[in-house]
Amino acid sequence: RNGVHALAGGPPLPEGEPLTVCLADVEPLQVEWLMPSRIPKRVITVFAGRTGVGKSFAALDIVARVSRGEAIPFAIGQRFESGGTLLISEDSHEYVLTPRLIELGADLSRVRAMSWKAMGSYHLSDTAMLDRAAAEVPGLKIVLIDPPTNFLGEVDEHRNSEVRQVVMKVVEWALSHDLACLFILHVNKQAGKGVEALNRVMGSVAWVTTARIAHT
């Protein structure tokens, strides 16, 4: 076959494409935080929990606070840098997202949700579409995807190699942008006492190991 695979099962790379990076050419970076010790920039963060525990509501509270540059929870004397949010969510714009954000005091002019038509075409690995949507959000600070499992197409959310291949595209995209990326996921029925955090999130462990940061 022409080319080589970027990841197992991934699309072929063009002939002559370098397959390695010399670490002498890599500039070390320090972690920058949107929310200290909880939500870093340029990295995927997972919020996972059972249905109805308020994980999406908690994420929207952060969205509202960012939209107005309000106080950061658990960080005395610190405030979010005000900016915009891109929501890619299964929740209704009219019945859920907008009413909740109004109650939370959000500046709605700084929050944009991907349209239903666009979500019908969106795949989690489609970073070109992410770029287009992100360009429509002034001062973008957060991309919230709730849940990312809705946008996997034929990918099996329980297969580590398939999920990792897709999520790595988002990881690469997030690394190149000065913003935070949040995934909202569910936990297993067995999640609880005695279950390691890595195994609490429903589906592949790649959701956590590739994202690297998860709150359950």
Side-chain angles (χ1 to χ4, degrees), residues 46-49 187 197 200-201 214-216:
V46 169
F47 281 10
V187 294
R200 290 178 185 171
V201 176
H215 303 283
T216 60

Side-chain angles (χ1 to χ4, degrees), residues 120-133:
S121 300
Y122 174 61
H123 189 278
L124 194 61
S125 64
D126 191 347
T127 55
M129 192 167 181
L130 268 182
D131 275 329
R132 289 177 57 192

Side-chain angles (χ1 to χ4, degrees), residues 86 88 112 114 128-137 140:
L86 170 63
I88 304 175
R112 297 186 70 90
M114 185 176 282
M129 192 167 181
L130 268 182
D131 275 329
R132 289 177 57 192
E136 297 181 11
V137 187
L140 181 62

Side-chain angles (χ1 to χ4, degrees), residues 21-215:
V21 175
C22 179
L23 296 187
D25 298 327
V26 174
E27 180 183 357
L29 298 174
Q30 290 187 335
V31 176
E32 296 182 27
W33 298 92
L34 175 78
M35 184 176 179
S37 300
R38 286 176 170 81
I39 304 176
K41 296 180 181 179
R42 308 186 189 97
V43 174
I44 296 173
T45 300
V46 169
F47 281 10
R50 297 186 186 278
T51 300
V53 299
K55 54 189 180 295
S56 296
F57 189 84
L60 288 178
D61 178 60
I62 293 171
V63 169
R65 290 171 182 269
V66 169
S67 75
R68 300 180 64 88
E70 293 182 349
I72 299 175
F74 315 113
I76 298 173
Q78 298 186 55
R79 305 182 73 85
F80 286 110
E81 182 181 353
S82 62
T85 296
L86 170 63
L87 300 175
I88 304 175
S89 173
E90 66 181 359
D91 288 326
S92 166
H93 303 162
E94 297 84 0
Y95 291 108
V96 179
L97 296 178
T98 299
R100 282 185 175 180
L101 287 168
I102 289 173
E103 286 297 315
L104 290 165
D107 179 349
L108 295 180
S109 69
R110 289 180 167 173
V111 184
R112 297 186 70 90
M114 185 176 282
S115 70
W116 294 109
K117 183 176 181 179
M119 284 193 289
S121 300
Y122 174 61
H123 189 278
L124 194 61
S125 64
D126 191 347
T127 55
M129 192 167 181
L130 268 182
D131 275 329
R132 289 177 57 192
E136 297 181 11
V137 187
L140 181 62
K141 298 295 182 186
I142 307 173
V143 174
L144 172 61
I145 304 180
D146 181 12
T149 51
N150 280 3
F151 308 104
L152 289 176
E154 299 299 318
V155 172
D156 185 342
E157 68 172 294
H158 297 278
R159 294 181 63 87
N160 294 338
S161 61
E162 294 185 23
V163 172
R164 183 174 292 108
Q165 177 188 319
V166 172
V167 177
M168 282 301 298
K169 295 288 187 181
V170 186
V171 170
E172 183 181 23
W173 184 83
L175 183 62
S176 65
H177 292 71
D178 189 28
L179 51 82
C181 185
L182 302 183
F183 283 176
I184 307 296
L185 291 164
H186 297 284
V187 294
N188 297 309
K189 292 181 180 179
Q190 296 80 14
K193 188 175 181 180
V195 178
E196 294 185 6
L198 186 65
N199 297 316
R200 290 178 185 171
V201 176
M202 187 177 294
S204 166
V205 296
W207 289 114
V208 177
T209 58
T210 310
R212 307 299 291 180
I213 296 179
H215 303 283

